[in-house]
Every structure is written in C-alpha cells, then in structure tokens.
Amino acid sequence: MSDSASGSIAGFLFQFEKALVLLATLDNTTDVVSIEQVDDVAIQNDEDLVLVTIQSKHST
C-alpha cells in the first residue's frame, strides 16, 4: 500500500474515533452524530438542523 493510501485510510478511520468522542459528550439526548452525510463528522438535532460540522484530517 502506498503512503498516500495509508494516510487516506487513517483519516477515514479517524472520523469514527472523532464521532465516538462526540457521541459520548452530547448534552442533548435527541442530537445525533453522522459520518459522511453533511461533512466528515456532524452533529444534528432532532429537526435535522446541523449544529456542528467537522472536517477530520489525519496524517501519518
């Protein structure tokens, strides 16, 4: 696997780590965390209003 591919995969996996951290820290139980819907990682409320968007970057 080339270095650029391993960096891309690391970044993709980092999205899940970031999403889990955000999920564990949500204040409102009706908010949801999404991956690759609005952005790399996002938090939305029960009315689909986007509260936070995150571009996850990871380098090796």
Side-chain angles (χ1 to χ4, degrees):
M1 183 180 304
S2 71
D3 288 337
S4 63
S6 63
S8 296
I9 291 170
F12 182 71
L13 294 175
F14 183 66
Q15 292 176 4
F16 291 95
E17 293 176 20
K18 186 65 177 174
L20 286 172
V21 169
L22 289 173
L23 186 61
T25 59
L26 286 179
D27 291 331
N28 191 338
T29 59
T30 60
D31 290 349
V32 296
V33 176
S34 63
I35 300 171
E36 292 289 340
Q37 285 187 323
V38 177
D39 210 334
D40 287 349
V41 181
I43 299 175
Q44 296 170 259
N45 68 9
D46 58 347
E47 298 173 354
D48 284 336
L49 177 67
V50 178
L51 305 173
V52 176
T53 61
I54 298 172
Q55 275 284 311
S56 296
K57 300 295 177 203
H58 187 278
S59 61
T60 54

